[in-house]
Amino acid sequence: MQHQLLQIGAVTQRMTEQMQQHYRIHVLNDIDDVPAFMADTGKDISAVATNGHDGVPDDILQALPNLKLVSGYGVGYDAVNVPALVERNIVLTHTPDVLNKDVANTALMMMLASSRQLLRDDAWARSGNWEKNGNSPLTRSIENATVGMLGMGRIGQCIAEKLQAAFDCNVLYHTRNARPDLPYQHVSSLVEMAEQSDYVVVITPGGTATKHLVNSEVLSALGPNGTLINVARGSVVDEAALVEALQQGKLGAAGLDVFEQEPSIPQALCDMPNVVLLPHVGSATIETRQAMGDLVTENLNLFATANKVISPVPECQSFMQHNGKHWQQA
Ligand code: NAP
Ligand code: 8YV
């Protein structure tokens, strides 16, 4: 019997074709009467394909009694109710590693755009200001800057390596667990790390454990010459405190790819010339999105053919070991 899959959110044509090899696909957005569909077909759905924004709503999860696998497009899974999945031995997979380099490049791009005032100088050149008023004011070099990393996991390490190799940066990091195997200085206090840093780069997971880690105290410690870069989740930064710190000159600049109420961005941030804004595009290159999509479908297809998955989230690995007969990590 063909496996049945519920697709939440959009996927690429390539992903659809790959999923169709082993699944009959039901697209949630195309279902007119969701309660009727769930009553009729919910019990036949064994897998869900979703993304980091939509997750799996609790009412949908409850309507899928035989769900075994949720395959997520993205490494962050703060939008998914993980305890509810673990309780039912439903495996959640994500897409780690394949996006590290492009997310790191996004962080570096925003650091350079901030320090070299890319937006101001692009406008200066385009508007004829150069011809009328001469050279634009000098900017700041990123060379030899001290960068404090909030988070030093897969993407954090990629950012740190690039910062050292490209710009000779002095890299510090703050995490809950020190990593003596890494060649960077661990700072156990986030405020102290911010005091020592020219830039703080946020690259932790989102969710309750990291909510508002970057607060007014951290922003003031980073100071009027400091720059905050956030490529993690909007929830990690207290956005109201960030706006206030920028407005009052307590913080120098910011580069933001993520926001507390995406896709809405506070007007105050849009109005500030010392803020670089991106619409959550850290991993959004054709190449990386294809690699992420391939990993989503490989997890689904391996599950359908061999009861295995490639990249389960850590929270699912322990029950997968206990249920080894049924579940294996490829
Ligand atoms: P990862 O390998 O799991 O690394 C997470 C890091 O955050 C670890 O160093 C971890 O260290 C640290 N951390 C976790 N909780 C913390 C806390 N309460 N205080 C301080 N540090 C904490 O994850 P990753 O693959 O690098 O991805 C990180 C996140 O980036 C994702 O979860 C996602 O939200 C975000 N992301 C954003 C984009 C984008 O488009 N902007 C793209 C990809 C990913 P300890 O456990 O030792 O604390
Ligand atoms: C994606 C991300 O934009 O991987 C993540 O955690 O934030 C991004 O790569 C998003 O998850 C796509 O659903």
Side-chain angles (χ1 to χ4, degrees):
M1 200 180 68
Q2 198 183 21
H3 295 268
Q4 302 211 37
L5 175 141
L6 182 68
Q7 176 194 318
I8 302 178
V11 303
T12 61
Q13 180 60 25
R14 179 184 169 96
M15 289 171 73
T16 300
E17 284 163 15
Q18 288 170 348
M19 293 190 297
Q20 277 169 342
Q21 291 169 13
H22 295 286
Y23 291 92
R24 176 164 172 219
I25 301 171
H26 306 275
V27 181
L28 185 61
N29 278 349
D30 295 345
I31 299 170
D32 288 334
D33 186 342
V34 174
F37 169 84
M38 291 299 171
D40 186 48
T41 312
K43 63 183 181 323
D44 302 324
I45 305 275
S46 58
V48 161
T50 186
N51 58 60
H53 307 288
D54 294 305
V56 188
D58 283 340
D59 57 333
I60 300 286
L61 193 58
Q62 279 163 20
L64 305 175
N66 296 312
L67 184 63
K68 298 280 182 297
L69 173 65
V70 174
S71 184
Y73 179 86
V75 65
Y77 48 95
D78 45 302
V80 179
N81 183 348
V82 180
L85 297 190
V86 170
E87 198 184 311
R88 287 175 50 193
N89 284 5
I90 299 167
V91 171
L92 172 65
T93 62
H94 63 154
T95 60
D97 290 319
V98 294
L99 41 57
N100 292 352
K101 288 183 180 168
D102 270 324
V103 180
N105 292 343
T106 304
L108 267 62
M109 175 169 73
M110 289 201 293
M111 292 173 79
L112 276 177
S114 295
S115 68
R116 298 303 303 268
Q117 302 224 24
L118 177 73
L119 300 181
R120 182 201 71 186
D121 279 355
D122 177 88
W124 198 279
R126 249 172 238 279
S127 64
N129 220 9
W130 188 19
E131 230 176 339
K132 273 190 251 132
N133 298 317
N135 292 337
S136 59
L138 297 182
T139 59
R140 298 303 300 247
S141 175
I142 197 173
E143 291 289 329
N144 302 307
T146 297
V147 182
M149 306 282 309
L150 173 52
M152 188 50 89
R154 290 168 291 246
I155 302 170
Q157 286 169 56
C158 188
I159 295 172
E161 282 161 21
K162 283 175 181 268
L163 286 172
Q164 279 199 332
F167 309 127
D168 274 331
C169 288
N170 170 33
V171 176
L172 316 172
Y173 72 102
H174 171 79
T175 52
R176 293 165 302 181
N177 308 293
R179 290 281 306 266
D181 55 314
L182 297 178
Y184 315 113
Q185 187 194 330
H186 183 255
V187 185
S188 53
S189 153
L190 176 54
V191 172
E192 279 171 26
M193 182 179 80
E195 271 165 3
Q196 294 173 45
S197 300
D198 300 305
Y199 299 81
V200 164
V201 177
V202 184
I203 188 65
T204 62
T208 47
T210 55
K211 188 170 164 66
H212 290 186
L213 277 182
V214 178
N215 55 21
S216 55
E217 196 187 357
V218 174
L219 296 168
S220 296
L222 183 52
N225 295 318
T227 300
L228 179 81
I229 303 291
N230 188 3
V231 282
R233 285 289 182 265
S235 59
V236 189
V237 175
D238 180 341
E239 213 165 66
L242 174 65
V243 168
E244 195 177 287
L246 286 162
Q247 282 172 336
Q248 296 179 353
K250 289 180 181 165
L251 177 69
L256 308 169
D257 184 42
V258 287
F259 304 87
E260 283 204 86
Q261 304 295 335
E262 290 179 16
S264 162
I265 303 177
Q267 189 58 42
L269 289 175
C270 299
D271 292 342
M272 289 180 202
N274 51 343
V275 176
V276 177
L277 302 170
L278 291 176
H280 199 148
V281 290
S283 66
T285 64
I286 289 167
E287 295 83 356
T288 288
R289 286 291 169 87
Q290 182 168 309
M292 290 162 65
D294 285 353
L295 189 47
V296 169
T297 58
E298 281 161 20
N299 275 309
L300 286 164
N301 288 346
L302 207 53
F303 159 69
T305 54
N307 247 9
K308 292 181 184 176
V309 289
I310 299 164
S311 48
V313 304
E315 291 89 332
C316 294
Q317 286 170 14
S318 64
F319 77 74
M320 285 175 68
Q321 277 156 16
H322 288 119
N323 292 316
K325 279 204 300 280
H326 306 296
W327 274 114
Q328 290 176 39
Q329 184 169 351

